Amino acid sequence: MNKKIISFSGKGGVGKSTLSTLFLKYLLNNFQELEILVIDADPDSNIADLLGVEISFEDTIGGVTTSFKHQMQEGSLSPGVPKNQVLEAEVFDSVIEMDRFDLMVMGRSEGEGCYCYINSLLKNIIDSITKSYAITILDMPAGLEHFARKTDKNVDELFIVTDPSKMGFHTMHRIIELTDELTLDFEKIWVVGNGFSDGLKHLLEEEISKINSKAVYLLGVIPFDEEISDYNFLGKSILDLPESNNAYKVFSSMLSKIIE
Ligand SMILES: Nc1ncnc2c1ncn2[C@@H]1O[C@H](COP(=O)(O)OP(=O)(O)OP(=O)(O)O)[C@@H](O)[C@H]1O
Ligand SMILES: [Mg+2]
C-alpha cells in the first residue's frame, strides 16, 4: 500500500467519526503491521470515545501548544534550542500509542492571544509526522472552514460522508466546489451515503451524476445500523463491533474494492 493521507469530511453529525473508526477497523483486520496514525482534527468532538480511549488535555495538541505558549511567555524555553524543535519534540511526545495504531488529538488551545506563530510551526510538524506512517486517517470537523484554510492540502483521498438530507447533499456539493476553487488536489474523492436505506440510494446516485468533476466517485451507501446506536448509547468502542456487524460488512466490501 502506498503512503496515504485519508480525510473524512461532511456535514455535522453525518457519521464522519463513525466511518473513520470503521475504516480503521477495516485496516486493522486486513493488514498486519501497517503503521497507522489517526488524527482527531475536530476541536469539539472526541473520536477517542469511539476508540475507547481516555484523553487528558495535556495529551492533546491544544494542551501542548497552550503549555508551549506559556513557556515562551515566561521565557523558560532553553535559549540554545530552536523553538520549532522544542515544539516538534513535544508534539511527538503527545502522540498516544495504542496497541496497533497511534492517535493524535488536536483539541483546542486555551487562553487569550494569537497562536498564529505556533500554528504555522505546527502545520509543518504535522506534515512531517504523517510521513512516518503508512496511512494517516484524518477525522475532520464538520463544515468547510478547514478547506478554506487548506488544512487538507496534502490529503490524497477525501471521503465525503452524507446522510439522506438536503443539507447533507448541499454540504457535499460545497465541498466539491471548494476543492475545485482552492485547487486542492485529491487523487480521489469518495462519496459515501450513511444512514441510507437501499430505496434511497438512487437520490444520491442522481446527485452524483450532476457533478462533472472527474475525481468524484460514489463509493456506496451504508444503512442505519441499530448495533451502532446501541454501542453509542452504551459508550462502547466502535472498534469492538463484531465483524458480523452489517454496517461494517457493507463498508468493508466497498473498501476492499478500493484499497489494495
Ligand atoms: N450507520 C449508522 N447507523 C446508526 N447510527 C449511526 C450510523 N452512523 C453514525 N451513527 C450515529 O450518528 C451519530 C453521529 O455520528 P458521528 O459522530 O460519527 O458523526 P460526525 O459526522 O462525526 O459528527 P460531528 O459532525 O459532530 O463530528 C452518532 O450517534 C453515531 O453513533
Ligand atoms: Mg465527528
Side-chain angles (χ1 to χ4, degrees):
M1 192 186 295
N2 295 327
K3 273 196 180 168
K4 272 201 189 321
I5 303 181
I6 294 168
S7 168
F8 284 78
S9 64
K11 182 179 83 76
V14 290
K16 298 176 293 295
S17 302
T18 304
L19 296 193
S20 304
T21 309
L22 290 180
F23 185 79
L24 170 66
K25 184 177 172 69
Y26 175 82
L27 295 180
L28 295 175
N29 283 346
N30 291 281
F31 299 90
Q32 299 299 317
E33 304 192 11
L34 195 63
E35 285 134 343
I36 306 171
L37 175 67
V38 177
I39 302 182
D40 179 356
D42 185 348
D44 291 317
S45 97
N46 209 347
I47 203 177
D49 289 341
L50 302 185
L51 299 172
V53 198
E54 282 212 23
I55 310 279
S56 65
F57 178 63
E58 290 73 39
D59 291 330
T60 67
I61 302 301
V64 169
T65 52
T66 303
S67 103
F68 184 75
K69 191 165 178 228
H70 287 155
Q71 293 174 59
M72 262 170 47
Q73 282 162 343
E74 291 162 2
S76 59
L77 291 172
S78 49
V81 190
K83 286 195 182 61
N84 64 329
Q85 281 181 22
V86 178
L87 184 62
E88 181 167 76
E90 291 185 8
V91 170
F92 266 88
D93 271 354
S94 77
V95 172
I96 299 153
E97 288 176 21
M98 307 294 293
D99 241 4
R100 293 182 54 205
F101 62 94
D102 287 353
L103 173 63
M104 190 154 102
V105 177
M106 297 309 290
R108 64 169 84 242
S109 322
E110 284 183 351
E112 303 281 299
C114 181
Y115 276 87
C116 315
Y117 169 68
I118 295 179
N119 285 341
S120 72
L121 294 182
L122 196 57
K123 235 176 147 173
N124 292 331
I125 292 172
I126 290 175
D127 282 351
S128 94
I129 287 190
T130 55
K131 290 200 175 74
S132 19
Y133 294 87
I135 294 245
T136 301
I137 303 172
L138 265 165
D139 179 17
M140 296 307 285
L144 307 162
E145 294 76 16
H146 54 91
F147 290 104
R149 279 189 254 110
K150 294 206 177 191
T151 323
D152 289 32
K153 186 167 59 79
N154 299 325
V155 170
D156 303 306
E157 295 197 15
L158 176 70
F159 281 75
I160 305 176
V161 186
T162 180
D163 57 4
S165 76
K166 209 173 168 118
M167 269 315 287
F169 286 10
H170 177 73
T171 305
M172 168 185 80
H173 283 298
R174 276 301 294 146
I175 290 174
I176 292 165
E177 282 165 20
L178 269 177
T179 60
D180 280 344
E181 283 164 25
L182 301 169
T183 58
L184 298 174
D185 215 5
F186 299 109
E187 277 168 27
K188 294 226 167 73
I189 298 179
W190 302 106
V191 174
V192 183
N194 188 29
F196 273 68
S197 60
D198 276 340
L200 291 177
K201 187 177 176 187
H202 70 99
L203 292 177
L204 191 52
E205 285 166 345
E206 284 156 24
E207 285 300 312
I208 302 284
S209 69
K210 292 181 203 160
I211 297 166
N212 40 28
S213 174
K214 56 182 182 322
V216 181
Y217 303 88
L218 175 60
L219 188 60
V221 298
I222 297 171
F224 180 85
D225 188 277
E226 284 182 14
E227 208 170 8
I228 291 184
S229 297
D230 272 349
Y231 269 56
N232 180 271
F233 276 110
L234 297 170
K236 285 163 77 175
S237 167
I238 293 290
L239 280 183
D240 295 334
L241 276 173
E243 286 192 40
S244 60
N245 172 265
N246 188 39
Y248 176 67
K249 279 200 319 207
V250 172
F251 195 34
S252 295
S253 104
M254 292 173 199
L255 294 175
S256 67
K257 295 187 187 105
I258 62 167
I259 298 173
E260 279 122 35

